[in-house]
């Protein structure tokens, strides 16, 4: 149980286009989902926290107008990278938490974004 | 500033060795600490979670300890195998910010036959 999927697993796009990444909890309801990005050989950095039905909370330095997060249901959160640029190329990983105060986050397999 | 540091950045060992991976954190008000495994180009697999009230957790050949006073955690891997080759990440959440996991940069482990 506790499986999180991401789609797509990889995407290549042209500079200036927008890309949407989906994160789904397959067998549980996720009250909270988290979005991370990871540059090569670096650690994961939390970008934002989203709670179902409310606006996402962004970490300092993350542009909310560039990285649009929607958590419309208890099983789906989406991250849209708007007007993507080559410096947005990264590995994006989502995680999901089942309850309000549970400790465990279940991580998705990640999405590799390459912006040409 | 709350930070998590991992040493060494990379480690190469022969099969069968027992090894220790280190993780240090700057804030003693830790809520919990987790160890994850990440295979190349993949997501994270949770290995062990230690609550602030605990000193260690064990799962199979893995043992993780937590020392809040010194700001350190160690992951001990017994009788290493080639299949253990991966990047190991530790992540801490701190009191007042339990939502947020702060990750170390990881230790890239290679176990050769």
């Amino acid at each position: 149980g506790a499986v999180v999927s991401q789609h797509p697993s990889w995407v290549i796009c042209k500079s200036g286009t927008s890309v949407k990444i989906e994160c789904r909890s397959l067998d549980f309801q996720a009250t909270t989902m988290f979005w991370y990005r990871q540059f090569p050989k670096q650690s994961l950095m939390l970008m934002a926290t989203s709670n179902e039905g409310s606006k996402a909370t962004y970490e300092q330095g993350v542009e909310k107008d560039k990285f649009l997060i929607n958590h419309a249901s208890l099983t789906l959160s989406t991250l849209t990278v708007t007007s993507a640029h080559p410096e947005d190329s990264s590995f994006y990983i989502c995680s999901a938490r089942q309850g309000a105060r549970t400790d465990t986050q279940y991580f998705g397999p990640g999405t590799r974004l390459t912006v040409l | 500033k709350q930070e998590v540091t991992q040493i060494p950045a990379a480690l190469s060992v022969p099969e069968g060795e027992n090894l220790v991976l280190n993780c240090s954190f700057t804030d003693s008000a830790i809520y919990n600490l987790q160890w994850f495994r990440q295979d190349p180009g993949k997501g994270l697999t949770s290995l062990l979670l230690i609550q602030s009230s605990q000193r260690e957790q064990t799962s199979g050949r893995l043992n993780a300890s937590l020392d809040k006073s010194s700001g350190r955690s160690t992951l001990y891997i017994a009788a290493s195998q080639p299949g253990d080759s991966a990047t190991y990440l530790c992540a801490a959440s701190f009191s007042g910010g339990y939502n947020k996991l702060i990750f170390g940069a990881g230790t890239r482990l290679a176990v050769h036959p």
Side-chain angles (χ1 to χ4, degrees):
Chain A
V3 178
V4 175
S5 70
Q6 282 185 240
H7 178 81
S9 56
W10 59 270
V11 58
I12 301 173
C13 69
K14 293 183 179 179
S15 185
T17 61
S18 294
V19 175
K20 180 183 285 188
I21 302 170
E22 292 185 348
C23 177
R24 292 182 185 272
S25 57
L26 298 184
D27 50 3
F28 67 99
Q29 293 185 327
T31 55
T32 306
M33 287 185 169
F34 305 86
W35 287 95
Y36 297 83
R37 66 189 296 182
Q38 184 180 33
F39 292 107
K41 295 188 178 181
Q42 295 187 27
S43 191
L44 279 75
M45 298 295 293
L46 179 65
M47 299 175 66
T49 302
S50 73
N51 293 294
E52 186 267 338
S54 61
K55 290 183 178 180
T57 302
Y58 290 81
E59 294 298 306
Q60 191 174 11
V62 177
E63 299 175 59
K64 62 180 182 181
D65 294 330
K66 181 169 184 61
F67 298 99
L68 301 179
I69 292 172
N70 184 284
H71 192 163
S73 77
L74 286 171
T75 59
L76 174 64
S77 177
T78 59
L79 168 67
T80 301
V81 183
T82 62
S83 187
H85 288 95
E87 57 265 30
D88 298 325
S89 299
S90 187
F91 194 55
Y92 292 87
I93 303 178
C94 73
S95 69
R97 194 176 65 197
Q98 189 167 6
R101 286 196 66 85
T102 59
D103 298 324
T104 304
Q105 293 182 28
Y106 300 98
F107 284 79
T111 296
R112 172 74 59 193
L113 170 63
T114 301
V115 184
L116 303 177
Chain B
K1 182 182 177 183
Q2 295 166 335
E3 294 182 341
V4 176
T5 305
Q6 290 187 246
I7 295 174
L11 186 62
S12 180
V13 300
E15 181 177 7
E17 259 195 30
N18 301 325
L19 51 98
V20 175
L21 308 182
N22 297 293
C23 173
S24 61
F25 45 92
T26 56
D27 189 345
S28 61
I30 190 168
Y31 183 70
N32 62 43
L33 187 136
Q34 300 183 57
W35 284 92
F36 296 88
R37 169 183 173 141
Q38 184 177 30
D39 292 287
K42 304 293 185 182
L44 275 63
T45 300
S46 180
L47 298 174
L48 291 165
L49 182 151
I50 311 175
Q51 300 289 356
S52 62
S53 59
Q54 299 172 323
R55 291 192 63 85
E56 65 178 334
Q57 284 285 339
T58 298
S59 175
R61 294 181 295 108
L62 305 179
N63 175 277
S65 66
L66 176 65
D67 185 340
K68 291 191 297 181
S69 60
S70 66
R72 293 182 179 179
S73 175
T74 60
L75 178 66
Y76 176 82
I77 303 177
S80 58
Q81 303 170 357
D84 294 330
S85 299
T87 295
Y88 290 82
L89 298 165
C90 73
S93 63
F94 297 94
S95 300
Y98 71 94
N99 272 331
K100 183 175 178 177
L101 284 177
I102 298 177
F103 281 82
T107 294
R108 295 188 303 281
L109 173 65
V111 181
H112 48 87

